[in-house]
Amino acid sequence: MRRDLLGALAPWARNTRASTIQQLLTLVPRPGQISLALGLPAVETFPARELAQAAREILEAEPTALQYGPPFEPLKHQVAALMSRRGAPCRPEQVFLTAGAQQGMSLLARLLLEYRGSVVTEERIYTGLQQVIEPFEPDVRTVATDLAAGMDVEAVAVQLARHPPPAFVYVIPDGHNPLAVGISVGRRRELAELARRFGVPVIEDDPYGLLQYDGPPVPPVRAWDDEWVFYVGSFSKILAPALRAGWLVVPEILVPRLEVAKEAADINAAPFTQRVISRLLDTISIDSHLDALRGIYRARRDAMLSALGRHFPEEARWRRPAAGLFVWVELPGVPDTLEALRSGIEREGVTFLPGEAFEVHAGRRSHAGIRLNFSHVSCDQIEEGVARLGRVLKRALVAPPSTQPQEQSR
Ligand SMILES: Cc1ncc(COP(=O)(O)O)c(C=O)c1O
């Protein structure tokens, strides 16, 4: 019998559909709606004027910048300098330029993962990585996350000792999306040591590492092993996401393989954007730019933390995120955060992301909660949005307020 059109798709593609959450979030926003949902950087931080100037100068001087062409070498040197600032120096030959972190992970997965292979991740992770591995129909072995110290490294060790070993371990070292935690220094060292001992790569997804707000910055896991830890960097959160530019730092031997994989994806030719970014980095002070970004986001983070204290129900628990764009709030008394989202949209004009959106295995996780973004809205909107959401959550509470002493910082 003749198949219908969807029957012609590969099995994994046949089964994909927009999640309830995606559908809810695409409801036409009401005027005055406040979004604490998406991980968008602040538009006012984009260096639009400097980018326009750089683009104009390049186009006037060298129209061949618009031709197919190899990756722009000077940018690799500038990325290597950025990696030194990040605390994990590398050589330009180890830098592979990508169209964003998302593409970097997609290319690494193509090199590392076999169909129906296994990978190790936490129970709740960035959905983009889940989308990357989905066509491989992998066996995803999850480990818990400690909300103070990050990934459960002992559980990772158990998974690495299994046969056959997993294709890779996926980690977000700082500003975890969605759990907002940073991995402790001890656990970073152990992770690197495990990767080396078992010969299993760690994919270190680090779009927020240069956005650490308190005290001396913590270096990435790659600082402890530069062979088995493959670093994924991004310009999205420090310059602008629509540039679609990022990088990998990998052992040199992998670079030719990545070139083949990227050629298949997009011909490995983005010399124009790469030149524009390179010229921008030559003309601005990246240190001042990063300082300014951190100042803005630190103020917004603090505005959100103090608003949570004023408006959220007593049962809610959260920590101060040391990096990134999110606060993770545990809500033990709110059984259905999806329903709370619906109510937030319909009754109060406020959106957020329920923890369910990030679950690798639906329902199998240690913490129930929601992710709030603080980077995209002003401090005043944060105050108003959190007040609205507080009303939604107080209505959603089914259990009486807990009498337990509060252990975590509010
Ligand atoms: C953890 C994480 N990794 C990767 C990305 C995607 O970054 P890029 O825009 O560089 O593809 C995001 C975007 O929000 C993210 O939160």
Side-chain angles (χ1 to χ4, degrees):
M1 215 176 56
R2 197 166 165 277
R3 301 176 297 191
D4 66 10
L5 196 52
L6 292 181
L9 300 181
W12 76 269
R14 224 177 290 154
N15 298 331
T16 52
R17 53 181 57 88
S19 69
T20 316
I21 293 162
Q22 280 164 339
Q23 289 167 14
L24 278 176
L25 292 173
T26 51
L27 290 178
V28 183
R30 286 207 322 237
Q33 181 162 294
I34 296 175
S35 172
L36 307 176
L38 304 177
L40 308 180
V43 175
E44 60 274 26
T45 68
F46 298 155
R49 209 162 21 89
E50 294 85 347
L51 284 167
Q53 163 104 5
R56 200 175 321 106
E57 285 170 11
I58 290 166
L59 289 173
E60 280 167 10
E62 37 184 341
T64 52
L66 290 174
Q67 188 56 280
Y68 290 112
F72 192 57
E73 288 298 317
L75 185 57
K76 296 186 183 179
H77 290 257
Q78 290 162 308
V79 167
L82 212 49
M83 288 302 296
S84 293
R85 280 189 179 75
R86 180 66 185 95
C90 68
R91 286 179 288 109
E93 296 77 24
Q94 297 170 317
V95 174
F96 184 80
L97 301 174
T98 64
Q102 184 69 23
Q103 185 183 55
M105 293 187 287
S106 175
L107 299 177
L108 286 175
R110 285 191 61 187
L111 292 198
L112 297 171
L113 186 55
E114 288 178 21
Y115 179 64
R116 298 231 158 121
S118 65
V119 304
V120 176
T121 74
E122 292 154 285
E123 290 154 355
R124 283 181 154 151
I125 53 164
Y126 168 58
T127 47
L129 189 276
Q130 300 185 43
Q131 289 166 336
V132 159
I133 60 180
E134 203 180 348
F136 298 89
E137 301 188 27
D139 168 22
V140 188
R141 304 174 186 171
T142 56
V143 300
T145 307
D146 179 318
L147 291 179
M151 190 176 214
D152 180 346
V153 177
E154 279 179 27
V156 172
V158 172
Q159 293 301 340
L160 297 197
R162 284 173 63 177
H163 283 283
F168 61 83
V169 181
Y170 171 74
V171 306
I172 308 167
D174 289 292
H176 189 287
N177 181 1
L179 299 175
V181 59
I183 303 178
S184 71
V185 168
R187 289 184 187 210
R188 286 175 206 233
R189 195 183 305 113
E190 282 170 50
L191 263 171
E193 210 274 312
L194 285 173
R196 207 165 40 237
R197 174 144 53 97
F198 288 97
V200 174
V202 166
I203 295 183
E204 179 172 41
D205 180 14
D206 190 39
Y208 308 114
L210 289 162
L211 298 177
Q212 296 186 49
Y213 307 123
D214 307 313
V218 186
V221 181
R222 189 180 183 278
W224 282 272
D225 188 283
D226 61 4
E227 188 179 8
W228 289 97
V229 181
F230 304 164
Y231 181 93
V232 184
S234 174
F235 286 112
S236 288
K237 303 304 193 303
I238 57 171
L239 292 181
L243 292 169
R244 302 314 305 141
W247 66 92
L248 298 173
V249 183
V250 293
E252 239 172 291
I253 192 175
L254 296 189
V255 169
R257 269 97 172 166
L258 284 165
E259 278 166 359
V260 173
K262 185 154 159 62
E263 213 170 324
D266 64 4
I267 317 198
N268 195 7
F272 176 60
T273 324
Q274 292 170 3
R275 262 166 216 252
V276 171
I277 294 173
S278 175
R279 182 164 297 220
L280 177 85
L281 293 175
D282 274 342
T283 48
I284 64 168
S285 155
I286 190 69
D287 285 328
S288 318
H289 177 71
L290 290 172
D291 275 348
L293 272 184
R294 286 188 283 256
I296 291 168
Y297 291 152
R298 188 187 297 112
R300 292 183 182 188
R301 174 200 65 176
D302 293 345
M304 178 167 276
L305 294 174
S306 80
L308 287 170
R310 277 192 297 282
H311 301 296
F312 261 36
E314 255 180 42
E315 292 80 350
R317 300 280 181 276
W318 58 90
R319 289 166 189 275
R320 169 198 296 261
L325 311 183
F326 309 110
V327 177
W328 173 256
V329 183
E330 288 185 280
L331 292 166
V334 182
D336 191 346
T337 50
L338 200 56
E339 188 43 46
L341 174 60
R342 191 184 305 278
S343 160
I345 293 171
E346 289 171 2
R347 296 181 62 176
E348 296 282 357
V350 63
T351 56
F352 62 92
L353 277 190
E356 284 89 332
F358 304 93
E359 283 174 9
V360 174
H361 300 299
R364 251 203 276 161
R365 34 65 179 170
S366 335
H367 315 282
I370 61 174
R371 189 196 79 177
L372 302 180
N373 166 264
F374 57 77
S375 57
H376 182 56
V377 278
S378 68
C379 290
D380 288 347
Q381 286 173 311
I382 288 172
E383 171 67 24
E384 173 61 20
V386 169
R388 292 182 192 182
L389 190 48
R391 291 197 288 273
V392 171
L393 296 174
K394 284 175 184 163
R395 280 198 295 267
L397 271 172
V398 288
S402 154
T403 51
Q404 298 288 315
Q406 293 186 9
E407 287 159 19
Q408 294 174 354
S409 61
R410 299 206 73 200

